[in-house]
Amino acid sequence: MKEALLRRLAADRAQHRAVGLITDLESGRQLLLHPDEAVGDLALDPAAEAQARTWLMADRSGLLEVPGRRLFLQASMPAPRLVIVGAVHIAQALAPMAGLAGYAVTVVDPRRSFATDARFPDVILTSDWPDEALERLAPDVRTAIVTLTHDPKLDDPALTVALNSPAFYIGALGSRKTHGARLNRLKRAGFADADLARIHGPVGLSINALSPAEIAVAILGQITQVRRAGAKGPAAGEAASAEHAA
Amino acid sequence: MDRSEQDVIDQALAWRSEGRKVALATVIATWGSSPRPVGSQLAVDETGNMIGSVSGGCIEGAVVKEAQEIMAGAKPRLLDFGITNEQAWDVGLACGGKLQVYVEAVE
């Protein structure tokens, strides 16, 4: 692999650009595929390029289905995003854990005593009201949203924007009782049961979590479960299993 | 590709900037139970420093050995590991999975 091509790939990733690296496993020739251009010394016919672009946008790596050639696509999409509403103790654990799992994390809290850089290193912090912050962030299908404030004044506006977006995961902290009251408020605000069913509440997997860090594990576990639902190892001979019996 | 793969590429480039020889190994295909998905990467330098992974640790040793030859000037290679591969028993791919790994030098 040419070092210049690898440097270009690293720069694209650092700038959160979608980029695919295609390698001809016979010749070793390579091509960097962007949504709007292609650079490298590998020639690709239009059908193969179209398939590669489709796979890239689906964040799917694997051997392209091109007869007579062995072309491997390494897909690289911008990091998924996690927006945490509430700069609370659980958020202090969840933000770095989600960072390790590959998410670009934003923490939203208008209460300045909570949202301090000292409490949240390496995270984008915003002290806008949650609904304004979320509208500005424009959640897409690669965005997860978690509300942790327990305060309807902050959580409800955030959930309203979240429900009107295609975010792949919406979670809200609170007991069954708190969550029931929350759902009633949102219903009165005009949301249908099918909309409200998108909210994971009480938030997180049921793992008897107690401490803030354990609750963060439960939440990140559930986000992972939803994100990877139905995920199969692309180009696998059969369904890949994470069970590793070694 | 997620952040951990980005770290692999960044480290590979950092080694190159220090003037070291570097090889990159990438999981091309998997069958059965494989701990690392297609696209997972491992970078290695000429002194055997490693970052990333292409398995749960069972084949890294064998991959690094091949990588040394490729860094020394051999062509890129497509390696097969699995039950049917005697070498896999040597390196202990005990999970019963099969995988293909492409190893190339960064130059």
Side-chain angles (χ1 to χ4, degrees):
Chain A
M1 150 149 236
K2 298 211 166 41
E3 187 180 330
L5 207 64
L6 193 61
R7 290 209 181 272
R8 173 76 196 267
L9 173 65
D12 286 332
R13 290 184 47 85
Q15 292 159 13
H16 307 290
R17 298 185 69 200
V19 56
L21 172 68
I22 302 173
T23 305
D24 183 326
L25 299 180
E26 258 94 48
S27 69
R29 286 172 183 268
Q30 285 167 318
L31 188 71
L32 270 191
L33 196 69
H34 302 89
D36 50 354
E37 61 168 339
V39 290
D41 60 0
L42 172 66
L44 213 55
D45 62 77
E49 186 171 324
Q51 183 180 62
R53 288 188 191 283
T54 304
W55 284 21
L56 171 59
M57 285 306 152
D59 206 4
R60 175 180 171 182
S61 301
L63 285 164
L64 296 173
E65 290 144 0
V66 181
R69 298 182 74 179
R70 293 179 58 79
L71 300 173
F72 179 73
L73 169 71
Q74 173 94 341
S76 171
M77 286 289 283
R81 292 184 297 168
L82 169 63
V83 183
I84 304 172
V85 178
V88 296
H89 197 171
I90 294 168
Q92 284 178 277
L94 180 56
M97 285 181 193
L100 279 175
Y103 290 81
V105 182
T106 303
V107 175
V108 181
D109 202 320
R111 303 168 298 181
R112 292 188 184 272
S113 56
F114 283 87
T116 65
D117 289 333
R119 282 163 56 87
F120 291 93
D122 307 325
V123 168
I124 303 164
L125 274 178
T126 167
S127 53
D128 292 347
W129 272 91
D131 50 349
E132 290 165 11
L134 273 169
E135 272 174 2
R136 198 168 35 76
L137 288 163
D140 57 15
V141 294
R142 293 171 57 80
T143 308
I145 300 164
V146 180
T147 63
L148 300 176
T149 73
H150 267 115
D151 182 343
K153 284 201 309 297
L154 297 167
D155 282 356
D156 285 12
L159 290 168
T160 300
V161 178
L163 287 168
N164 287 320
S165 82
F168 76 87
Y169 177 91
I170 305 170
L173 186 75
S175 67
R176 276 180 212 294
K177 192 166 151 225
T178 303
H179 189 58
R182 177 188 293 134
L183 293 181
N184 285 333
R185 287 194 306 273
L186 290 167
K187 209 181 276 193
R188 283 199 298 276
F191 285 106
D193 286 340
D195 297 324
L196 299 178
R198 288 176 63 201
I199 305 176
H200 295 266
V203 73
L205 297 176
S206 180
I207 56 170
N208 305 326
L210 211 53
S211 69
E214 288 170 352
I215 294 167
V217 168
I219 295 170
L220 189 56
Q222 191 171 53
I223 293 171
T224 306
Q225 184 182 51
V226 171
R227 180 178 175 210
R228 302 298 193 190
K232 254 179 57 169
E238 59 191 73
S241 152
E243 299 302 318
H244 195 53
Chain B
M1 198 193 271
D2 63 22
R3 185 175 304 192
S4 60
E5 253 63 54
Q6 176 65 16
D7 294 342
V8 171
I9 292 173
D10 288 344
Q11 182 62 68
L13 289 169
W15 284 333
R16 287 294 297 164
S17 298
E18 293 168 12
R20 305 190 208 183
K21 289 190 162 82
V22 174
L24 204 54
T26 308
V27 176
I28 299 296
T30 64
W31 296 264
S33 98
S34 313
R36 300 283 285 129
V38 166
S40 301
Q41 291 186 306
L42 167 80
V44 57
D45 76 356
E46 61 203 296
T47 61
N49 286 311
M50 280 197 302
I51 180 167
S53 66
V54 288
S55 78
C58 14
I59 63 165
E60 272 73 4
V63 170
V64 167
K65 209 165 78 181
E66 299 274 352
Q68 300 292 0
E69 292 174 24
I70 289 160
M71 280 185 267
K75 276 189 159 49
R77 280 178 203 163
L78 191 57
L79 309 175
D80 280 289
F81 294 97
I83 281 293
T84 54
N85 180 325
E86 269 182 35
Q87 194 185 18
W89 287 112
D90 297 342
V91 299
L93 195 67
C95 50
K98 279 202 326 188
L99 69 159
Q100 266 186 334
V101 179
Y102 182 71
V103 188
E104 62 196 315
V106 180
E107 48 205 0

